[in-house]
Amino acid sequence: MAEISGSLLRLRRQLEYSHFEAEQYVKLLSQQSDGDRDLQEHRQRIQGLADETAQSLKRNVYQNYRQFIETAKEISYLEGEMYQLSHILTEQKGIMESVAQTLLHSDRSEAARELKAAFHEEAEEGKARNLTTLLEKVEGCKNLLETPGRYLLYNGDLTEFDVDNMVLIQKVHTFLMNDCLLIATPLPNRRGMYKYNALYNLDDLAVVNVKENSPMKNMFKILMFPESRIFQAENAKIKKEWLDILEETKKNKILNEKSKKEDNLCSPTMIDITSSCSLNEKKTIREEKEEKINLSFEWIQELPDNLDVCIAQRNFEGAVDLLAKLNGYLQDKPLTYSVQDLRARVDPRVRHLTNVLVFELSPERSLRGGPKATRRAVSQLVRLGQSTKACGLFLQNRATAVQTAIRQLRIEGATLLYVHKLCNVFFTSLLETAKEFEMDFSGNSGCYSAFIVWSCSALKLFVDAFTKQVFDSKENLSTAAECVKVAKEHCKHLSEIGLDLTFILHAFLVKDLKAVLQSNKDIIIEATKHRNSEEMWRKMNLMTPEALGKLKEEMQNCGVRNFDQYVGEDCWVNLSYTIVAFTKQIMFFLEEALKLYFPELHMVLLESLIEIILVAVQHVDYSLRCEQDAEKRGFIRQNASFLYDIVLPVVEKRFEEGVGKPAKQLQDLRNISRLVRVNPGTTSIV
C-alpha cells in the first residue's frame, strides 16, 4: 500500500513538472512497459489522479463561494451603516442650514456693517477704474461717466454681418456694462484703440440665438426696434458666454430696479414726511412675508441632495418628479428671499439634469435601440418644459440613425434586390419614427411642423442613395420602372399614420425619370430607324408552331386581340418583321413608362410616344410613295392597316387606362395616319 502511494506521489510530481512533455512521456512509458497490462494499470493511476484533482477543485470552489457569500453579507451590512451615516450627515446639514438662516435674518453688528460698506466702496472704486480705462480706449464716449453706478462687465471682439444678405460688414469690439451695450469699431493704424459706433440701453434690446447654418456659425442677433444687427463670435464657447452674460445682466438690471423701487418706499425722505416707516418696520414686513412660506419640510431641505442622487443613479423620472412636486408647491407662493435661495440651489441641478438628458439623446449614446431608446430622455425633457430642444434632439438622433442604416446597406447582387432592402430599411425606420414622435409629442402640436421638415430631409437622403444605384448606374427602363414602383408602394404605406410624402418623392425623382424616358425613347427610335433601313417588306416565316404560338402570346400581352387574322398557313405571318418588332417595343416602352407615371411626367411621356410612332408612320408613308411593285404596295398597305387600325388604338387605349384621361394628341396622330393610306406624303406635314 505504501509502495502504491509512493508511486502515485512520484507520478503526480512528474505530471506537475513545469516542463512536462506529454509526447516524450508516452514514448518512454511505451518502451518501459512489458505489455498491455502495465499500460492499463498506468492509465488507471492517471485517471485516479485526474478524479482526485477534480474533487479538490470542487472543494476549493465551494470554499471560495462560501467566502464570497460571507463577504457580500459584510458589504451589505457596511452599505447599511454608510446609509445611516449619510442620513445623519444630512440631518446635521439641515440643522446647520437652519441655524445659518436664523443668523442671516438676525441683526447685523455695527462692525459687520462697516466692513460691508468698506468692501462696497472698494468695489465701486474698482468698477470706476474699469470704466475709466474703457474711456481711454474708445473715442467719443466721454458721456458714459455721467450715469452714476455704471461699470464694465464684459468685452470682446465680434464680427458684424449684414442682416439681409449675410455679407461681412466690419470687425467690432463690444463692451457690456451693467445697464447698456457699447459697440465700437477699431481705429486704423492704432492698435488697441476704438471709435464709438453705437450705445444701446439693455431695456431696449433683445438677444436672439441664430440657428447654425454652415458656413454661418456662432452667430447671434441683437434686436433694437426698429433695427437689428447680427454678430459672429470666434467660436461656440464665446458665443455662449455672450448669450449667457447678456441674459443674466438684463435680469439683474430688472431685479435691481425693482429692489430700488421697494427701498424708495421706505427711504429717509419718506420717513420725514410720513413718520410711519422705519428700518425695523421694513425688516418686520419682510420677515412676515417670508413666514408665510414654510420651507422647513424635510423633503424640501433634502431636495438638492436627492436630485444629485437621482441624477447619479440615472433615475431621471425620480428627479423630474421631485422638481414637479417643488414647482407645484411654490406655484402660487411669492418670490421671497428664502425661495430665491432655494431656487439658486436647485437651478444648477436642473441644468445638469438637462445636460445629462441631452447626452442621452446624442446619436452615439442611443442609436442602436431605435426610436424607443430615446423615449425616456425625451419624455423627461418635455416634462421639464424643454419640448423644442427634445424635438430637435430626437429628430437629429433619428436622422443619424437613418443615414447610418442606409450607409451600412451592402450594394451587391441585382439592383432591384438592393432597392427592396433600401426601401424596407428606410420606410420602416420612418414609420417607426413617426409613431414614436406622435407618442412623445402628442401634446405639443407646434413640433409637428419640425417633423414634416425632417421627413423631407430624410426622404432626400433616401432619394440620393436610390438615384445613385438606379439612375447613375444606367439601368434599363424595366429595372428603373420596377425600382420606382417599389419605392412608391412603400411610400404609400406612410398614409397609415396620415403622412403622405408621395408628391415630395415625385418632385425629387422627376428630373431623373425624365432623363430615363428621353434616353430610352432615343434608343427605341435609333433601333427602329436601323430596322427600317434594312426593311425588305416580306412576310414573316416563323418555321415552327412553337415560335408562332409564342408570337401570338406576345401580341396578346401587348393588347392585340385579333392577331389571328394576320396569321397565314405553315407558320407564315402576313406582316413585316419591322412592324411586329415595333409593336412589341412600343408596347413594352408604354407599359414600363406607366409604372413610372405621375402628373409631372405626362407631357414627357406623351411627346416620347408621339416621336416613336412618327418614325414608324413616316417609314410606311415613305415606302408607299417610293414602292413601284403593285404586290409589295399591297403588302405595305396591309402593314399600314395593322399599324393604324390595330396598334395605334391599343396604344391610345392603354395610355388612357394608365393615365386616367384621353390624349388628344394621340387621337390627332391616328387621324393623320388614316390620311396616309389615302394620300401618301401627309406625314411630311407632321
Side-chain angles (χ1 to χ4, degrees):
M1 195 68 171
E3 184 180 352
I4 294 175
S5 299
S7 176
L8 287 175
L9 184 60
R10 287 194 300 272
L11 179 60
R12 181 191 296 275
R13 291 175 179 174
Q14 193 173 4
L15 293 176
E16 290 176 349
Y17 183 59
S18 59
H19 299 291
F20 175 75
E21 294 183 3
E23 186 176 351
Q24 187 69 25
Y25 175 76
V26 172
K27 188 182 296 184
L28 182 63
L29 184 65
S30 301
Q31 294 174 358
Q32 295 176 354
S33 299
D34 294 336
D36 182 62
R37 183 176 179 182
D38 288 346
L39 292 175
Q40 289 290 342
E41 291 177 354
H42 204 80
R43 179 181 178 278
Q44 290 177 358
R45 287 197 294 272
I46 293 175
Q47 184 64 43
L49 284 175
D51 294 340
E52 184 180 348
T53 303
Q55 290 295 330
S56 177
L57 287 174
K58 288 181 181 179
R59 286 193 297 272
N60 290 335
V61 169
Y62 178 71
Q63 185 177 2
N64 291 337
Y65 183 69
R66 290 182 59 188
Q67 292 178 356
F68 175 76
I69 293 175
E70 292 175 358
T71 304
K73 290 180 180 178
E74 291 294 331
I75 292 173
S76 177
Y77 177 73
L78 182 60
E79 185 179 3
E81 290 185 340
M82 290 299 295
Y83 178 78
Q84 292 178 1
L85 181 61
S86 174
H87 186 69
I88 293 171
L89 290 174
T90 302
E91 290 181 349
Q92 294 294 330
K93 183 179 179 181
I95 294 171
M96 293 297 293
E97 286 181 353
S98 62
V99 171
Q101 189 172 3
T102 304
L103 293 175
L104 182 65
H105 292 82
S106 63
D107 293 333
R108 300 289 197 274
S109 64
E110 187 65 26
R113 284 198 297 270
E114 290 178 358
L115 182 62
K116 182 177 179 181
F119 177 78
H120 181 71
E121 184 178 352
E122 184 179 351
E124 290 296 330
E125 289 178 358
K127 294 174 181 177
R129 284 196 298 269
N130 287 339
L131 196 58
T132 304
T133 305
L134 166 64
L135 294 177
E136 294 175 354
K137 290 184 177 182
V138 182
E139 293 183 356
C141 60
K142 299 294 183 181
N143 57 347
L144 284 179
L145 286 174
E146 295 177 359
T147 304
R150 176 175 288 170
Y151 55 90
L152 180 64
L153 289 175
Y154 192 75
N155 70 94
D157 291 322
L158 296 173
T159 305
E160 184 175 6
F161 284 80
D162 186 85
V163 177
D164 297 325
N165 51 26
M166 301 304 290
V167 176
L168 189 147
I169 298 178
Q170 60 186 348
K171 297 283 186 179
V172 299
H173 195 87
T174 310
F175 300 88
L176 176 63
M177 284 154 279
N178 59 322
D179 62 342
C180 61
L181 181 69
L182 172 64
I183 298 175
T185 56
L187 286 174
N189 302 324
R190 296 180 64 183
R191 187 173 182 181
M193 296 298 294
Y194 305 95
K195 182 180 180 181
Y196 173 86
N197 179 267
L199 182 68
Y200 302 106
N201 194 326
L202 292 183
D203 293 334
D204 301 331
L205 62 83
V207 184
V208 180
N209 184 22
V210 177
K211 185 179 179 182
E212 300 292 326
N213 185 14
S214 182
M216 301 302 176
K217 294 183 177 180
N218 307 322
M219 290 187 166
F220 60 92
K221 182 184 292 186
I222 296 180
L223 306 177
M224 304 79 59
F225 182 81
E227 62 174 319
S228 61
R229 301 174 73 170
I230 287 185
F231 299 97
Q232 183 183 47
E234 184 178 353
N235 52 50
K237 181 181 178 182
I238 295 177
K239 171 189 172 181
K240 186 176 185 301
E241 289 178 357
W242 270 109
L243 293 176
D244 292 344
I245 197 167
L246 279 168
E247 192 65 29
E248 189 69 23
T249 306
K250 284 173 62 68
K251 290 181 180 178
N252 291 337
K253 187 174 185 297
I254 294 172
L255 290 174
N256 290 335
E257 290 177 352
K258 184 177 179 182
S259 178
K260 287 180 180 179
K261 288 180 181 179
E262 292 179 355
D263 292 340
N264 288 336
L265 293 176
C266 296
S267 63
T269 306
M270 294 297 294
I271 293 174
D272 295 337
I273 295 174
T274 61
S275 301
S276 61
C277 183
S278 65
L279 291 175
N280 291 332
E281 291 175 349
K282 180 179 176 182
K283 178 180 175 182
T284 305
I285 292 172
R286 289 182 178 176
E287 290 178 351
E288 289 176 355
K289 287 182 178 179
E290 293 209 12
E291 287 175 359
K292 295 179 182 178
I293 304 176
N294 187 4
L295 300 180
S296 61
F297 295 112
E298 183 179 356
W299 68 271
I300 293 180
Q301 295 297 323
E302 296 180 356
L303 189 135
D305 294 334
N306 289 337
L307 283 176
D308 291 335
V309 172
C310 289
I311 295 172
Q313 294 178 348
R314 297 173 55 79
N315 182 13
F316 306 132
E317 294 83 358
V320 178
D321 289 341
L322 288 173
L323 291 172
K325 184 178 180 181
L326 177 65
N327 291 333
Y329 179 74
L330 299 177
Q331 184 176 6
D332 53 351
K333 304 293 190 300
L335 189 63
T336 60
Y337 294 125
S338 57
V339 173
Q340 290 180 6
D341 180 62
L342 178 62
R343 288 290 188 188
R345 289 187 290 142
V346 171
D347 287 345
R349 272 86 173 177
V350 176
R351 287 193 292 270
H352 180 48
L353 175 60
T354 303
N355 293 334
V356 172
L357 292 173
V358 168
F359 176 72
E360 289 293 314
L361 288 174
S362 60
E364 61 272 11
R365 180 70 178 172
S366 57
L367 201 58
R368 294 186 177 181
K372 293 182 180 179
T374 64
R375 183 182 301 171
R376 186 185 181 202
V378 168
S379 61
Q380 301 313 314
L381 276 176
V382 171
R383 291 181 62 192
L384 288 173
Q386 302 281 348
S387 301
T388 303
K389 179 179 289 187
C391 176
L393 291 169
F394 172 79
L395 295 178
Q396 181 182 355
N397 178 282
R398 299 314 306 152
T400 306
V402 170
Q403 192 173 8
T404 303
I406 292 176
R407 195 187 307 117
Q408 288 177 348
L409 275 178
R410 298 181 63 183
I411 303 176
E412 58 183 5
T415 300
L416 186 58
L417 177 62
Y418 171 80
V419 169
H420 272 289
K421 293 180 180 178
L422 177 64
C423 291
N424 186 55
V425 167
F426 173 75
F427 287 104
T428 301
S429 178
L430 188 60
L431 190 63
E432 291 177 353
T433 301
K435 291 179 178 178
E436 186 65 26
F437 186 90
E438 189 174 9
M439 184 180 300
D440 292 341
F441 300 96
S442 57
N444 297 275
S445 57
C447 295
Y448 281 85
S449 57
F451 177 75
I452 298 299
V453 173
W454 175 87
S455 300
C456 295
S457 62
L459 188 63
K460 184 64 171 65
L461 290 175
F462 163 78
V463 171
D464 289 342
F466 181 91
T467 301
K468 184 177 180 181
Q469 189 64 19
V470 177
F471 299 121
D472 293 353
S473 58
K474 305 298 182 183
E475 293 290 343
N476 56 48
L477 180 62
S478 177
T479 302
E482 286 296 329
C483 292
V484 172
K485 182 181 178 182
V486 170
K488 290 165 69 174
E489 288 175 352
H490 276 82
C491 193
K492 288 180 180 177
H493 291 164
L494 296 176
S495 59
E496 298 175 4
I497 58 171
L499 181 63
D500 187 4
L501 299 179
T502 308
F503 67 99
I504 299 177
L505 179 64
H506 290 169
F508 286 149
L509 292 176
V510 64
K511 181 180 178 181
D512 292 307
L513 292 179
K514 285 181 179 179
V516 167
L517 290 176
Q518 294 281 2
S519 174
N520 280 268
K521 176 205 70 176
D522 295 339
I523 293 173
I524 293 174
I525 289 176
E526 190 66 28
T528 304
K529 287 181 178 179
H530 179 72
R531 288 194 299 268
N532 291 346
S533 66
E534 300 176 351
E535 178 64 81
M536 302 297 293
W537 292 113
R538 295 176 180 174
K539 296 180 181 180
M540 292 178 63
N541 184 6
L542 299 178
M543 307 299 290
T544 62
E546 290 80 7
L548 180 61
K550 183 178 180 181
L551 179 61
K552 287 181 179 180
E553 183 180 355
E554 290 175 347
M555 290 294 107
Q556 186 78 11
N557 294 334
C558 289
V560 179
R561 307 301 180 191
N562 49 357
F563 184 73
D564 290 339
Q565 61 178 321
Y566 296 96
V567 177
E569 298 179 355
D570 297 332
C571 301
W572 284 87
V573 176
N574 298 325
L575 292 173
S576 166
Y577 166 76
T578 302
I579 297 299
V580 171
F582 173 79
T583 301
K584 292 192 290 186
Q585 200 163 25
I586 193 172
M587 291 308 300
F588 174 80
F589 174 78
L590 178 58
E591 289 295 335
E592 298 303 324
L594 287 176
K595 294 178 183 178
L596 303 171
Y597 180 82
F598 47 84
E600 289 82 355
L601 296 175
H602 183 84
M603 289 308 301
V604 177
L605 175 57
L606 187 57
E607 291 170 0
S608 299
L609 286 173
I610 292 174
E611 287 186 45
I612 295 171
I613 293 171
L614 278 176
V615 174
V617 171
Q618 289 171 351
H619 173 63
V620 172
D621 179 26
Y622 176 78
S623 299
L624 284 174
R625 286 189 285 110
C626 297
E627 185 60 56
Q628 302 298 326
D629 188 289
E631 184 178 353
K632 280 194 174 182
R633 283 177 64 87
F635 181 67
I636 293 173
R637 288 187 180 278
Q638 187 176 8
N639 280 273
S641 175
F642 175 76
L643 179 63
Y644 304 147
D645 298 336
I646 304 296
V647 177
L648 293 188
V650 169
V651 171
E652 185 180 338
K653 180 182 177 182
R654 183 69 189 95
F655 183 87
E656 183 177 349
E657 290 175 352
V659 173
K661 59 182 179 180
K664 186 177 182 300
Q665 293 90 333
L666 291 177
Q667 296 174 357
D668 294 342
L669 180 60
R670 185 153 55 91
N671 294 333
I672 293 174
S673 302
R674 288 173 181 169
L675 299 177
V676 174
R677 287 176 290 178
V678 179
N679 183 19
T682 307
T683 56
S684 61
I685 301 174
V686 180

